[in-house]
Coordinates of all heavy atoms in Angstrom, one line a residue:
M1 N -14.9 0.9 34.7 CA -14.4 -0.5 34.7 C -15.1 -1.2 33.5 O -16.2 -1.0 33.2 CB -14.9 -1.2 36.0 CG -14.4 -2.5 36.2 SD -14.4 -3.1 37.9 CE -16.2 -3.5 38.2
I2 N -14.3 -2.1 32.9 CA -14.9 -2.8 31.7 C -15.0 -4.3 32.0 O -14.0 -4.9 32.5 CB -13.9 -2.6 30.5 CG1 -13.7 -1.2 30.2 CG2 -14.5 -3.4 29.2 CD1 -14.9 -0.4 29.8
H3 N -16.1 -4.9 31.7 CA -16.3 -6.4 31.8 C -16.2 -6.9 30.4 O -17.2 -6.7 29.6 CB -17.6 -6.7 32.5 CG -17.7 -6.0 33.8 ND1 -17.2 -6.7 34.9 CD2 -18.3 -4.9 34.2 CE1 -17.5 -5.9 36.0 NE2 -18.2 -4.8 35.5
F4 N -15.2 -7.7 30.0 CA -15.0 -8.1 28.7 C -16.0 -9.3 28.4 O -16.0 -10.2 29.2 CB -13.6 -8.5 28.4 CG -12.6 -7.3 28.3 CD1 -11.8 -7.1 29.5 CD2 -12.6 -6.4 27.3 CE1 -11.0 -6.0 29.4 CE2 -11.8 -5.4 27.3 CZ -10.9 -5.1 28.3
K5 N -16.6 -9.2 27.2 CA -17.5 -10.3 26.7 C -18.5 -10.7 27.7 O -18.9 -11.9 27.9 CB -16.6 -11.6 26.3 CG -15.6 -11.2 25.3 CD -14.8 -12.5 24.9 CE -13.6 -12.3 24.2 NZ -13.7 -11.3 23.1
S6 N -19.1 -9.7 28.4 CA -20.1 -10.1 29.5 C -21.5 -9.5 29.1 O -22.4 -9.7 29.9 CB -19.7 -9.6 30.8 OG -19.5 -8.3 30.8
C7 N -21.7 -9.1 27.8 CA -23.0 -8.7 27.4 C -23.9 -9.9 27.3 O -23.6 -10.8 26.7 CB -23.0 -7.9 26.1 SG -24.6 -7.4 25.5
E8 N -25.2 -9.8 27.9 CA -26.1 -10.9 27.8 C -26.7 -11.0 26.4 O -27.3 -12.1 26.1 CB -27.1 -10.6 28.9 CG -26.7 -10.9 30.3 CD -27.7 -10.6 31.3 OE1 -28.9 -10.5 31.0 OE2 -27.4 -10.5 32.5
R9 N -26.6 -9.9 25.6 CA -27.3 -10.0 24.3 C -26.3 -10.4 23.2 O -26.6 -11.3 22.4 CB -27.9 -8.6 24.0 CG -28.7 -8.6 22.8 CD -29.0 -7.2 22.3 NE -30.0 -6.5 23.1 CZ -30.2 -5.2 22.9 NH1 -29.5 -4.4 22.1 NH2 -31.0 -4.5 23.7
C10 N -25.1 -9.8 23.2 CA -24.2 -10.0 22.1 C -22.8 -10.5 22.5 O -22.0 -10.7 21.6 CB -24.1 -8.7 21.3 SG -23.0 -7.4 22.0
K11 N -22.7 -10.7 23.8 CA -21.3 -11.2 24.3 C -20.2 -10.1 24.0 O -19.0 -10.4 23.9 CB -20.9 -12.5 23.7 CG -21.9 -13.6 24.0 CD -22.0 -13.9 25.5 CE -23.1 -14.9 25.8 NZ -23.4 -14.9 27.3
G12 N -20.6 -8.8 23.9 CA -19.7 -7.8 23.7 C -19.1 -7.2 25.0 O -19.3 -7.9 26.0
D13 N -18.3 -6.2 24.9 CA -17.7 -5.7 26.1 C -18.6 -4.7 26.7 O -19.1 -3.8 26.1 CB -16.3 -5.0 25.8 CG -15.3 -5.9 25.1 OD1 -15.4 -7.1 25.4 OD2 -14.6 -5.5 24.2
V14 N -18.7 -4.9 28.1 CA -19.6 -4.1 28.9 C -18.9 -3.1 29.8 O -18.0 -3.5 30.5 CB -20.6 -4.9 29.7 CG1 -21.5 -4.2 30.6 CG2 -21.4 -5.8 28.7
A15 N -19.3 -1.8 29.8 CA -18.7 -0.8 30.6 C -19.6 -0.6 31.8 O -20.8 -0.5 31.7 CB -18.6 0.6 29.9
Q16 N -19.0 -0.6 33.1 CA -19.7 -0.3 34.3 C -19.6 1.2 34.6 O -18.5 1.7 34.8 CB -19.2 -1.2 35.4 CG -20.1 -0.9 36.6 CD -19.8 -2.0 37.7 OE1 -19.2 -3.0 37.5 NE2 -20.4 -1.8 38.9
T17 N -20.7 1.9 34.6 CA -20.7 3.4 34.9 C -21.7 3.6 35.9 O -22.5 2.8 36.3 CB -21.0 4.1 33.6 OG1 -22.1 3.6 33.0 CG2 -19.8 4.0 32.7
S18 N -21.7 4.9 36.4 CA -22.6 5.3 37.4 C -23.1 6.7 37.2 O -22.4 7.5 36.6 CB -22.2 5.2 38.8 OG -21.0 5.9 38.9
D19 N -24.4 7.0 37.4 CA -25.0 8.3 37.4 C -25.5 8.8 38.7 O -25.3 8.0 39.7 CB -25.9 8.5 36.2 CG -27.2 7.6 36.4 OD1 -27.4 7.1 37.5 OD2 -27.9 7.4 35.5
W20 N -26.2 9.9 38.7 CA -26.8 10.4 40.0 C -27.6 9.4 40.7 O -27.7 9.3 41.9 CB -27.5 11.7 39.6 CG -27.9 12.4 40.9 CD1 -27.1 13.4 41.4 CD2 -29.1 12.4 41.5 NE1 -27.8 13.9 42.5 CE2 -29.0 13.3 42.6 CE3 -30.3 11.6 41.4 CZ2 -30.1 13.6 43.5 CZ3 -31.3 11.9 42.3 CH2 -31.2 12.8 43.3
Y21 N -28.3 8.5 39.9 CA -29.3 7.6 40.5 C -28.6 6.3 41.0 O -28.9 5.7 42.1 CB -30.4 7.2 39.6 CG -31.2 8.4 39.1 CD1 -31.0 8.9 37.8 CD2 -32.1 9.1 39.9 CE1 -31.6 10.0 37.3 CE2 -32.8 10.2 39.4 CZ -32.5 10.7 38.1 OH -33.2 11.7 37.6
S22 N -27.9 5.6 40.1 CA -27.4 4.3 40.3 C -26.2 3.9 39.5 O -25.7 4.6 38.7 CB -28.6 3.4 39.9 OG -28.9 3.6 38.5
E23 N -25.8 2.6 39.7 CA -24.7 2.1 38.9 C -25.4 1.2 37.8 O -26.4 0.5 38.1 CB -23.8 1.1 39.7 CG -22.8 2.0 40.5 CD -21.7 1.0 41.0 OE1 -21.5 -0.1 40.7 OE2 -21.1 1.5 42.0
Y24 N -24.8 1.3 36.7 CA -25.3 0.3 35.6 C -24.3 -0.1 34.6 O -23.2 0.5 34.6 CB -26.5 1.0 34.9 CG -26.1 2.3 34.2 CD1 -25.7 2.4 32.9 CD2 -26.2 3.5 34.9 CE1 -25.4 3.6 32.3 CE2 -25.9 4.7 34.4 CZ -25.4 4.7 33.0 OH -25.1 6.0 32.4
L25 N -24.7 -1.2 34.0 CA -23.7 -1.8 33.0 C -24.3 -1.4 31.5 O -25.4 -1.4 31.4 CB -23.7 -3.3 33.1 CG -23.3 -3.8 34.4 CD1 -23.5 -5.4 34.4 CD2 -21.8 -3.5 34.6
Q26 N -23.4 -1.1 30.7 CA -23.8 -0.8 29.3 C -22.9 -1.4 28.2 O -21.6 -1.2 28.4 CB -24.0 0.7 29.1 CG -24.6 1.0 27.7 CD -25.1 2.4 27.6 OE1 -24.6 3.4 28.2 NE2 -26.1 2.6 26.8
C27 N -23.4 -2.1 27.4 CA -22.6 -2.7 26.4 C -22.1 -1.7 25.3 O -22.9 -0.8 24.9 CB -23.5 -3.8 25.6 SG -22.5 -4.6 24.2
M28 N -20.9 -1.8 25.0 CA -20.3 -0.8 24.0 C -20.6 -1.2 22.6 O -20.4 -0.4 21.7 CB -18.8 -0.7 24.2 CG -18.5 0.0 25.6 SD -16.7 0.3 25.8 CE -16.1 -1.4 26.0
Q29 N -20.9 -2.5 22.3 CA -21.2 -2.9 21.0 C -22.7 -2.7 20.6 O -23.0 -2.1 19.5 CB -20.9 -4.3 20.8 CG -19.4 -4.6 20.4 CD -18.4 -4.4 21.6 OE1 -18.7 -4.9 22.7 NE2 -17.4 -3.7 21.4
C30 N -23.6 -3.1 21.5 CA -25.0 -3.1 21.0 C -25.9 -2.1 21.9 O -27.1 -2.0 21.6 CB -25.7 -4.6 21.1 SG -25.9 -5.1 22.7
G31 N -25.4 -1.6 23.0 CA -26.2 -0.6 23.7 C -27.0 -1.2 24.8 O -27.7 -0.5 25.5
W32 N -26.9 -2.5 24.9 CA -27.6 -3.2 26.0 C -27.3 -2.6 27.4 O -26.1 -2.3 27.6 CB -27.4 -4.7 25.9 CG -27.8 -5.5 27.1 CD1 -29.0 -6.0 27.3 CD2 -27.0 -5.8 28.4 NE1 -29.1 -6.7 28.5 CE2 -27.9 -6.6 29.2 CE3 -25.7 -5.5 28.8 CZ2 -27.5 -7.1 30.4 CZ3 -25.3 -6.0 30.0 CH2 -26.2 -6.8 30.8
A33 N -28.2 -2.4 28.2 CA -27.9 -1.8 29.6 C -28.6 -2.5 30.7 O -29.8 -3.1 30.5 CB -28.3 -0.3 29.5
K34 N -28.0 -2.6 31.8 CA -28.7 -3.2 33.0 C -28.4 -2.5 34.3 O -27.1 -2.1 34.5 CB -28.1 -4.7 33.1 CG -28.7 -5.5 34.3 CD -28.2 -6.9 34.2 CE -28.9 -7.7 35.3 NZ -28.3 -9.1 35.3
D35 N -29.4 -2.2 35.0 CA -29.1 -1.5 36.4 C -28.5 -2.5 37.4 O -29.1 -3.6 37.5 CB -30.4 -1.0 36.9 CG -30.3 0.0 37.9 OD1 -29.6 -0.2 38.9 OD2 -30.9 1.1 37.8
V36 N -27.4 -2.2 38.0 CA -26.8 -3.0 39.0 C -26.7 -2.4 40.3 O -25.8 -2.9 41.1 CB -25.4 -3.6 38.4 CG1 -25.5 -4.5 37.2 CG2 -24.5 -2.3 38.1
S37 N -27.5 -1.4 40.6 CA -27.4 -0.7 41.9 C -27.8 -1.7 43.0 O -27.3 -1.5 44.1 CB -28.2 0.5 41.9 OG -29.6 0.1 41.7
G38 N -28.7 -2.7 42.7 CA -29.0 -3.6 43.8 C -30.0 -3.0 44.8 O -30.4 -3.6 45.7
D39 N -30.5 -1.8 44.5 CA -31.4 -1.1 45.4 C -32.8 -1.2 44.8 O -33.0 -0.5 43.8 CB -31.0 0.3 45.6 CG -31.9 1.1 46.6 OD1 -32.9 0.4 47.0 OD2 -31.5 2.2 46.9
P40 N -33.8 -1.9 45.3 CA -35.1 -2.0 44.8 C -35.8 -0.7 44.8 O -36.8 -0.5 44.0 CB -35.8 -3.0 45.6 CG -35.1 -3.0 46.9 CD -33.6 -2.8 46.5
L41 N -35.4 0.2 45.6 CA -36.1 1.5 45.7 C -35.6 2.5 44.5 O -36.4 3.4 44.1 CB -35.7 2.3 47.0 CG -36.6 1.8 48.2 CD1 -36.1 2.5 49.4 CD2 -38.1 2.1 48.0
T42 N -34.5 2.2 44.0 CA -33.9 3.1 43.0 C -34.9 3.2 41.8 O -35.2 4.3 41.3 CB -32.6 2.6 42.5 OG1 -31.7 2.5 43.6 CG2 -32.0 3.6 41.4
G43 N -35.4 2.1 41.3 CA -36.3 2.1 40.2 C -37.5 2.9 40.5 O -38.0 3.7 39.7
L44 N -38.0 2.7 41.7 CA -39.3 3.4 42.2 C -39.0 4.9 42.2 O -39.8 5.7 41.7 CB -39.7 2.9 43.4 CG -41.0 3.4 44.1 CD1 -42.2 3.1 43.2 CD2 -41.2 2.9 45.5
I45 N -38.0 5.3 42.8 CA -37.6 6.7 43.0 C -37.4 7.3 41.6 O -38.0 8.5 41.3 CB -36.3 6.8 43.8 CG1 -36.6 6.5 45.2 CG2 -35.9 8.3 43.7 CD1 -35.4 6.3 46.1
R46 N -36.8 6.6 40.8 CA -36.5 7.1 39.4 C -37.8 7.3 38.6 O -38.0 8.3 38.0 CB -35.6 6.1 38.7 CG -35.1 6.6 37.4 CD -34.2 5.6 36.8 NE -33.1 6.1 36.0 CZ -31.9 5.5 35.9 NH1 -31.6 4.4 36.4 NH2 -30.9 6.1 35.2
S47 N -38.8 6.4 38.8 CA -40.1 6.5 38.1 C -40.9 7.6 38.6 O -41.8 8.1 37.9 CB -40.8 5.2 38.2 OG -41.3 4.9 39.5
V48 N -40.6 8.1 39.8 CA -41.4 9.2 40.4 C -40.6 10.5 40.0 O -41.3 11.5 39.6 CB -41.5 9.1 41.9 CG1 -42.1 10.4 42.5 CG2 -42.3 7.9 42.2
I49 N -39.3 10.6 40.2 CA -38.5 11.8 40.0 C -38.5 12.2 38.5 O -38.7 13.4 38.2 CB -37.1 11.6 40.4 CG1 -37.2 11.5 42.0 CG2 -36.2 12.7 40.0 CD1 -35.8 11.3 42.6
E50 N -38.4 11.3 37.6 CA -38.2 11.6 36.1 C -39.4 12.3 35.5 O -39.3 13.4 35.0 CB -37.8 10.3 35.3 CG -36.4 10.0 35.4 CD -35.5 11.1 34.9 OE1 -35.8 11.6 33.8 OE2 -34.5 11.4 35.5
P51 N -40.7 11.8 35.7 CA -41.8 12.5 35.3 C -42.0 13.9 35.9 O -42.3 14.9 35.2 CB -43.0 11.6 35.6 CG -42.4 10.3 35.8 CD -41.1 10.5 36.4
A52 N -41.7 14.0 37.1 CA -41.7 15.3 37.9 C -40.7 16.3 37.3 O -41.0 17.4 37.1 CB -41.5 15.1 39.3
R53 N -39.6 15.8 37.0 CA -38.5 16.7 36.4 C -38.9 17.1 35.0 O -38.7 18.2 34.6 CB -37.2 15.8 36.4 CG -35.9 16.6 36.2 CD -34.7 15.9 36.4 NE -34.5 15.0 35.3 CZ -33.9 15.1 34.2 NH1 -33.3 16.3 34.0 NH2 -33.8 14.3 33.2
E54 N -39.4 16.2 34.3 CA -39.9 16.5 32.9 C -41.0 17.7 33.0 O -41.0 18.6 32.2 CB -40.5 15.3 32.2 CG -39.4 14.3 31.9 CD -38.4 14.7 30.9 OE1 -38.7 15.4 30.0 OE2 -37.2 14.4 31.1
A55 N -41.9 17.5 34.0 CA -42.9 18.5 34.1 C -42.4 19.9 34.4 O -42.9 20.9 33.9 CB -43.9 18.0 35.2
V56 N -41.4 19.9 35.3 CA -40.8 21.1 35.7 C -40.1 21.8 34.5 O -40.3 23.0 34.3 CB -39.8 21.0 36.9 CG1 -38.9 22.1 37.0 CG2 -40.5 20.6 38.1
L57 N -39.4 21.0 33.7 CA -38.7 21.4 32.6 C -39.7 22.1 31.6 O -39.5 23.1 30.9 CB -37.9 20.4 32.0 CG -36.6 20.0 32.8 CD1 -36.0 18.7 32.1 CD2 -35.6 21.2 32.8
A58 N -40.8 21.3 31.4 CA -41.9 21.7 30.4 C -42.5 23.1 30.9 O -42.7 24.0 30.0 CB -43.0 20.7 30.3
N59 N -42.7 23.2 32.1 CA -43.2 24.6 32.7 C -42.3 25.6 32.4 O -42.6 26.8 32.1 CB -43.5 24.4 34.2 CG -44.8 23.7 34.5 OD1 -45.7 23.7 33.7 ND2 -44.9 23.2 35.7
C60 N -41.0 25.4 32.6 CA -40.0 26.5 32.4 C -39.9 26.9 30.9 O -39.8 28.0 30.7 CB -38.5 25.9 32.8 SG -38.3 25.7 34.6
K61 N -40.1 25.9 30.1 CA -40.1 26.3 28.7 C -41.3 27.1 28.2 O -41.1 28.1 27.4 CB -40.0 25.0 27.8 CG -38.6 24.4 27.7 CD -38.6 23.1 27.0 CE -37.4 22.3 27.2 NZ -37.5 20.9 26.8
S62 N -42.4 26.8 28.8 CA -43.7 27.4 28.3 C -43.9 28.8 28.9 O -44.6 29.6 28.3 CB -44.9 26.5 28.7 OG -45.0 26.4 30.1
S63 N -43.2 29.1 30.0 CA -43.4 30.4 30.7 C -42.4 31.4 30.1 O -41.6 31.2 29.4 CB -43.3 30.3 32.2 OG -42.0 29.9 32.5
Ligands
LIG101 ZN1 -24.0 -6.2 23.6

């Protein structure tokens, strides 16, 4: 879904997309992004999962 001229930074066109964690908006002109999942836990979960995932990947590479 595209929201025309709704970027808060440059008034460009913003695409609404989603990934494994959440829904978010991203400007196609300047790259501005905003999380719109509306779930306060999402940011917390993400901040815990991401470092853990990085650590696992690092271990896999070194072994
Ligand atoms: Zn923009």
Side-chain angles (χ1 to χ4, degrees):
M1 189 160 75
I2 306 294
H3 303 276
F4 293 105
K5 303 188 192 310
S6 59
C7 176
E8 290 179 12
R9 189 196 284 168
C10 75
K11 301 296 175 195
D13 302 330
V14 173
Q16 182 167 353
T17 51
S18 59
D19 63 16
W20 193 83
Y21 304 104
S22 60
E23 275 191 24
Y24 57 95
L25 301 172
Q26 185 163 32
C27 177
M28 294 187 289
Q29 272 76 45
C30 74
W32 169 86
K34 182 180 185 179
D35 196 311
V36 291
S37 63
D39 180 358
L41 279 177
T42 302
L44 181 64
I45 291 168
R46 190 175 214 155
S47 70
V48 171
I49 288 175
E50 278 300 314
R53 198 172 66 91
E54 293 297 321
V56 168
L57 288 174
N59 278 338
C60 288
K61 279 176 194 163
S62 63
S63 60

